[in-house]
Amino acid sequence: MSGGARHLYVHLPFCASRCGYCDFVTVVGRRGQHSAYVDGLLAELALQREALAPGLESVFLGGGTPTFTEPAQLERLLRALPVADEVTVEANPETVTPELARLLRDCGVTRVSLGAQSFGPRLLEVLDRGAGPDDVRRAVYALRDAKIDNISLDLIYGIPGQSTSDLETDLSEALALEPEHLSCYELEAKPGTRFTHAHGAELARQAERMETYFERVVARLTGAGYRWYETANFCRSAAHAGGRDLRSKHNLAYWRGRDYLGLGIGAVSTIEGRRWRTTPRLGLYLSALAAGGRPPREVEELPARVLRSERVLLGLRLDEPLALDGLEEAIDPAAVERLRRLGLVESGEAGAELALTEQGRFLGGGVTADLLA
Ligand SMILES: C[S@@+](CC[C@H](N)C(=O)[O-])C[C@H]1O[C@@H](n2cnc3c(N)ncnc32)[C@H](O)[C@@H]1O
Ligand code: SF4
């Protein structure tokens, strides 16, 4: 797409400590380097400015723990970033004080995504989380007091030791806070990590229950008036939100195959058929930018065939039909017909659109992969 990317991701990698299950690019502590890192981000933004459109739809500050960044540095960054219709910041509950909530609001943040994960103290301990259930509630109240009117809660299910009734309790506690948006992720345990080693047997037991957990999550949240708009994402439906569309504009852009620019260590960008990932090494990143150069990156040219397959795989995660114009070569018509007879996909008039049925959405990626030519 020409005219520049309309979506900007900014990676803030610092965290107070490392959670056992986490596989993101993170750096523990390093308060002394937060200022240099923000300098680096702003220098990288200046170098990449031409890749961005004049008006942005979304900015997303992800982590790491963006709200663990020194408040003065977080403020300096937020004030220097381009304005956008939606500005999201990821936050860990224990970092959200009334002052921080006001700082976010005053700096133009429109949406906060809070990593609750669970409301069970025992389960939070298994995850090595620093926050307890009361920290999550306090954080939501502080954000509400600061007039942040778009709050998302992240939950994880399939935690070692989590029973069906623990999951129901997590969903009830989350719903009681009346968030505008919820992301519910199945716990992914990377092979070979300390976490997987420590909880191997229980993780294997949980794997068998995941499908029923997923069904419970969907039934419970849709029953409470939330729209299941993407495989793992829910927002209050327009009818329950005064007509507001509360889907994440930023994440919708990924699922719709839009171009985006990523800044910071480990950040990924996809622009005009080219994808690159900036070095995950903090020292290399800072020294390259301090010397006036671009930080090292891995670049991948994406052939049209790969882009089309990605569009199908990502687009079918949504609850809206995928327009097939230009994607015909990516889809196997015989598979569409077979899956349609099984009640897993629906194709619109003259086959111009494709969507998964509810049953197909529960099976998810398996069905979508089958559709590819
Ligand atoms: C970039 S992460 C971190 C955000 C924030 N630092 C926190 O911990 O709350 C965003 C979300 O990804 C999810 N996540 C991280 N690791 C995961 C894993 N191994 N399996 C499933 N979800 C995960 C969590 O719900 C988390 O809130
Ligand atoms: S706080 Fe969030 S980003 Fe940091 S280690 Fe834990 S899960 Fe990962």
Side-chain angles (χ1 to χ4, degrees):
M1 194 178 49
S2 59
R6 296 170 60 77
H7 305 275
L8 174 65
Y9 174 81
V10 182
H11 193 69
L12 285 161
F14 306 104
C15 291
S17 60
R18 194 172 173 86
C19 310
Y21 61 93
C22 178
D23 196 31
F24 288 85
V25 173
T26 60
V27 176
V28 173
R30 309 272 188 101
R31 290 216 171 261
Q33 283 184 304
H34 294 193
S35 169
Y37 188 72
V38 170
D39 290 344
L41 288 172
L42 297 179
E44 196 188 3
L45 173 63
L47 289 172
Q48 298 285 357
R49 197 78 200 208
E50 79 289 352
L52 286 175
L56 297 193
E57 280 177 44
S58 68
V59 171
F60 192 104
L61 270 65
T65 308
T67 49
F68 175 73
T69 312
E70 284 290 329
Q73 299 310 322
L74 182 60
E75 174 164 9
R76 183 161 70 93
L77 174 66
L78 282 167
R79 292 200 187 279
L81 288 176
V83 291
D85 303 339
E86 175 188 275
V87 180
T88 303
V89 173
E90 277 186 344
N92 282 35
E94 70 279 15
T95 61
V96 181
T97 59
E99 297 73 43
L100 191 275
R102 284 195 292 273
L103 181 157
L104 296 178
R105 181 209 52 205
D106 292 347
C107 293
V109 172
T110 62
R111 186 170 179 275
V112 174
S113 172
L114 203 59
Q117 322 309 355
S118 170
F119 288 82
R122 187 173 45 85
L123 299 173
L124 288 167
E125 234 171 80
V126 170
L127 293 176
D128 297 328
R129 297 295 290 177
D134 287 340
D135 293 311
V136 180
R137 293 184 196 103
R138 255 195 303 271
V140 171
Y141 302 147
L143 293 166
R144 291 288 185 221
D145 284 348
K147 305 278 183 290
I148 300 275
D149 67 357
N150 196 350
I151 298 177
S152 181
L153 295 182
D154 284 351
L155 291 179
I156 292 183
Y157 61 90
I159 304 166
Q162 185 180 35
S163 66
T164 309
S165 80
D166 290 332
L167 173 63
E168 292 291 351
T169 306
D170 277 351
L171 294 168
S172 301
E173 296 285 352
L175 288 170
L177 294 170
E178 303 185 351
E180 280 70 25
H181 187 283
L182 280 150
S183 302
C184 297
Y185 301 112
E186 174 181 316
L187 177 68
E188 240 187 278
K190 303 277 172 203
T193 60
R194 196 165 39 86
F195 184 81
T196 303
H197 186 68
H199 301 287
E202 182 55 21
L203 283 166
R205 270 195 292 281
Q206 291 289 36
E208 290 166 21
R209 299 184 207 139
M210 284 297 193
E211 209 174 302
T212 57
Y213 281 13
F214 183 30
E215 284 171 14
R216 268 172 196 273
V217 167
V218 173
R220 193 67 197 283
L221 298 183
T222 53
Y226 285 77
R227 172 175 171 186
W228 180 26
Y229 76 97
E230 192 271 346
T231 311
N233 285 278
F234 304 80
C235 64
R236 258 196 234 158
S237 62
H240 290 81
R244 287 170 79 196
D245 181 355
L246 290 165
R247 293 175 296 173
S248 156
K249 288 193 199 333
H250 191 79
N251 290 326
L252 273 180
Y254 294 146
W255 298 314
R256 288 175 174 164
R258 305 282 194 264
D259 283 355
Y260 54 90
L261 177 68
L263 300 177
I265 58 170
V268 175
S269 305
T270 306
I271 296 183
E272 292 179 1
R274 184 166 225 243
R275 179 165 298 155
W276 65 90
R277 181 173 188 255
T278 302
T279 178
R281 295 174 61 186
L282 182 60
L284 277 183
Y285 177 82
L286 293 180
S287 57
L289 286 159
R294 255 179 228 256
R297 54 181 172 180
E298 278 172 23
V299 183
E300 193 187 353
E301 300 295 339
L302 300 168
R305 178 182 45 79
V306 171
L307 284 168
R308 282 194 295 264
S309 304
E310 276 190 6
R311 282 284 296 118
V312 173
L313 292 174
L314 293 171
L316 288 176
R317 295 178 64 93
L318 295 170
D319 67 348
E320 58 190 19
L322 174 69
L324 293 181
D325 192 21
L327 298 177
E328 296 85 351
E329 282 176 50
I331 303 234
D332 172 7
V336 172
E337 187 45 33
R338 184 164 37 83
L339 294 169
R340 200 185 56 72
R341 272 192 261 111
L342 290 171
L344 299 175
V345 304
E346 293 167 329
S347 51
E349 254 174 64
E353 291 181 334
L354 195 64
L356 299 190
T357 60
E358 179 166 309
Q359 205 192 340
R361 294 185 80 200
F362 279 118
L363 299 175
V367 175
T368 337
D370 261 8
L371 286 165
L372 294 180

